Amino acid sequence: MGTRRSVSPMAPPGVYAPQEDTELLAGALSDEPVPPDAAVLDVGTGSGALAVAAARRGCRVTAVDVSWRAVGTARLNALRAGVPVRVRRGDLFGPVRGESFDLVLANPPYVPAPGGPSLPRGAARAWDAGADGRLVLDRICREGKALLRPGGVLLLVQSALSGPELTVGHLRAAGTKAAVIRRRHISFGPVLRARERWLRARGLLAAADDKEELVVIRAELPV
């Protein structure tokens, strides 16, 4: 058997490139004791970076994204890395409805965005998530449990701007054991810098805040 190549995933314009949130979630994935043949779902896969990381561990990986461009990119990156990844196009859990997984990875859009209730379009679908940043997070909290096998785990990354305490509370109410397991403060990226004034006006950023906090939340379904 040939050695699997370690290659950096490519991300063409319009596809979410691996960033600090991807790295933080990848660290949580590396700490998770998943068996080699575990069934893993990477929802909102973007470039497929996390799907490829799971596949390198011998997991059976399915990746989902709503963007056709992301689907093509994830397939190409899996091919370049020499690992099998099943990639499906669709909205959140739609393409895998009725299936179950040992591990679900989620790096959903979580940035609060002005503009009312209208759905984001184009590349902004990868980060814009409504006025409170919970447009997709709340759906994951409601629907994610149904995707987990007994003892299965959901690993989710989000910003502190979009209420991680709400995510933990909703996941616990759904019957999982949930907690924040990782935190990291990062400098504002282009999206936050562009709407910094709006975020401060809404009270989501304090006057002294000059960094964004990212968190990883782990939710486990009891056996």
Side-chain angles (χ1 to χ4, degrees):
M1 181 183 295
T3 301
R4 288 172 180 165
R5 292 163 290 161
S6 179
V7 296
S8 298
M10 56 169 285
V15 174
Y16 188 74
Q19 298 183 40
E20 287 94 340
D21 51 2
T22 315
E23 181 183 346
L24 193 63
L25 190 53
L29 168 62
S30 68
D31 286 346
E32 195 62 37
V34 292
D37 197 37
V40 176
L41 173 65
D42 179 23
V43 62
T45 192
S47 70
L50 291 166
V52 167
R56 285 196 176 114
R57 295 180 61 179
C59 299
R60 293 176 289 113
V61 183
T62 299
V64 173
D65 204 287
V66 72
S67 161
W68 277 116
R69 185 173 296 187
V71 165
T73 300
R75 286 174 177 161
L76 181 57
N77 280 323
L79 183 65
R80 293 172 69 233
V83 293
V85 175
R86 181 180 67 147
V87 188
R88 296 289 181 265
R89 189 262 175 184
D91 180 41
L92 202 60
F93 302 128
V96 292
R97 197 73 65 190
E99 300 183 42
S100 61
F101 299 88
D102 299 295
L103 177 65
V104 175
L105 303 168
N107 184 359
Y110 52 69
V111 180
S118 59
L119 295 175
R121 300 177 62 86
R125 289 182 299 184
W127 55 80
D128 281 356
D132 59 1
R134 301 198 57 85
L135 190 65
V136 180
L137 286 167
D138 284 338
R139 290 182 58 196
I140 292 174
C141 291
R142 288 195 304 268
E143 303 172 29
K145 179 185 174 182
L147 277 293
L148 294 177
R149 296 172 178 175
V153 170
L154 166 69
L155 292 176
L156 176 152
V157 64
Q158 69 170 89
S159 171
L161 297 174
S162 45
E165 70 284 349
L166 293 175
T167 302
V168 170
H170 292 332
L171 289 169
R172 287 176 178 172
T176 69
K177 296 183 287 187
V180 173
I181 60 169
R182 285 184 174 233
R183 298 178 183 270
R184 179 181 297 175
H185 288 85
I186 64 170
S187 299
F188 293 161
V191 175
L192 253 63
R193 286 198 300 269
R195 62 189 62 164
E196 182 178 349
R197 182 175 298 179
W198 178 80
L199 291 166
R200 294 194 193 281
R202 291 199 65 223
L204 295 174
L205 280 175
D209 289 343
D210 61 355
K211 291 187 181 296
E212 178 187 15
E213 183 181 25
L214 300 177
V215 304
V216 173
I217 294 168
R218 183 183 188 274
E220 181 176 348
L221 185 65
V223 176

